[in-house]
Amino acid sequence: MKEDISAANFIALSEINDSNVYDVQCPKGHESHVVLQQQKFELLFDVGACALLDGYYREAVTSFTSSLERFYEFFIRAALVQNEVATADIETIWSHLGKQSERQLGAYIAVFTRECGTTPTLLSRKNVEFRNDVIHRGRIPSRSEAVVYGEAVLSAVRPALSVAKERLPKGVEQLVAQHLIVARKSVKSTSSVATSCMPTILSLSRGEATVADESLEAALTSLYMWNWRLLVPGI
């Protein structure tokens, strides 16, 4: 007889991973899997926020930077899908961009301008120099410097994220759907697979104005952000 655990109520802890698939085992030993809906840029920004909370300010800057670059990719892909470019052609295009951040930035500026008739908000030269000092020259930033940089990334991404949701709805929807399909297909077991959506500081799924305008400092002290640190007894 198969036991019904649909009403089971428990908390499962897991470390964030790159696959977006999380293995869950209930107290009775039943195994299942959870696919997280969030895109890479959403998760990476929260990883940076967690690094800030934990005192790793250099790691916060690198995660914020990665979040920004992955948002560029998301926007470009969403625009191409919106304009009905074939998937194979999109992958060919990205093969020429994927390993060179400057090419990605140039493509993002061109695509955004084409879609909106105006250029996107970008990091200031000062913030770009700061980022390069941290990532390429080993600079160890202070907390305040990391927060200011994180705020600059928020200011660059949030307006463009709103544009993506408003002007590229089909592209956004299809990218999210494709993300979930790929993650689900990666699960090899016959255990049940569920989909989960969590609140993040940069969010495709949340539309509240108060959240969209929230500062990084406010987000760090609110319940809007999850902390994925594995809880170890005695620490």
Side-chain angles (χ1 to χ4, degrees):
M1 179 178 177
K2 187 175 181 179
E3 188 175 3
D4 182 10
I5 60 169
S6 60
N9 187 13
F10 64 95
I11 296 175
L13 300 177
S14 182
E15 292 183 331
I16 192 169
N17 62 51
D18 197 56
S19 71
N20 263 18
V21 178
Y22 298 86
D23 300 328
V24 178
Q25 187 175 75
C26 80
K28 293 187 177 182
H30 303 98
E31 294 184 352
S32 59
H33 309 277
V34 176
V35 174
L36 200 57
Q37 179 176 311
Q38 270 56 45
Q39 300 294 301
K40 186 66 72 67
F41 74 88
E42 298 174 271
L43 295 178
L44 282 168
F45 195 90
D46 270 24
V47 168
C50 287
L52 273 176
L53 288 178
D54 289 342
Y56 298 108
Y57 308 133
R58 190 172 189 278
E59 288 71 16
V61 170
T62 59
S63 292
F64 293 149
T65 299
S66 295
S67 171
L68 179 61
E69 291 179 348
R70 296 289 58 77
F71 175 74
Y72 292 162
E73 178 182 2
F74 181 85
F75 190 97
I76 292 166
R77 287 180 177 272
L80 293 173
V81 171
Q82 183 75 27
N83 287 282
E84 301 183 347
V85 177
T87 300
D89 291 335
I90 293 175
E91 295 307 322
T92 298
I93 291 169
W94 194 253
S95 70
H96 297 292
L97 303 175
K99 294 184 178 181
Q100 298 189 46
S101 58
E102 289 301 318
R103 286 188 180 183
Q104 293 174 36
L105 175 60
Y108 171 69
I109 294 171
V111 170
F112 187 98
T113 303
R114 170 65 179 81
E115 295 296 329
C116 304
T118 184
T119 56
T121 300
L122 302 173
L123 294 181
S124 67
R125 177 171 295 183
K126 180 179 179 180
N127 280 316
V128 170
E129 291 175 352
F130 168 75
R131 176 202 66 196
N132 291 342
D133 283 347
V134 171
I135 294 177
H136 301 300
R137 301 183 185 95
R139 177 174 173 176
I140 300 175
S142 66
R143 182 187 186 281
S144 61
E145 288 175 324
V147 169
V148 168
Y149 181 77
E151 293 282 11
V153 172
L154 281 181
S155 297
V157 173
R158 276 177 170 161
L161 185 57
S162 295
V163 167
K165 290 193 286 186
E166 293 171 6
R167 293 179 177 246
L168 311 171
K170 183 177 73 173
V172 169
E173 181 180 343
Q174 289 190 21
L175 285 183
V176 172
Q178 181 182 15
H179 164 82
L180 293 175
I181 290 170
V182 170
R184 280 177 170 270
K185 285 184 176 179
S186 71
V187 178
K188 303 303 181 182
S189 74
T190 58
S191 302
S192 63
V193 181
T195 299
S196 179
C197 181
M198 62 182 289
T200 48
I201 298 172
L202 284 173
S203 178
L204 278 168
S205 59
R206 305 183 76 192
E208 305 97 313
T210 54
V211 175
D213 296 334
E214 187 179 48
S215 70
L216 177 54
E217 283 284 20
L220 291 174
T221 58
S222 73
L223 296 179
Y224 293 135
M225 188 198 69
W226 288 59
N227 191 332
W228 294 291
R229 291 173 299 177
L230 182 63
L231 300 180
V232 180
I235 293 183

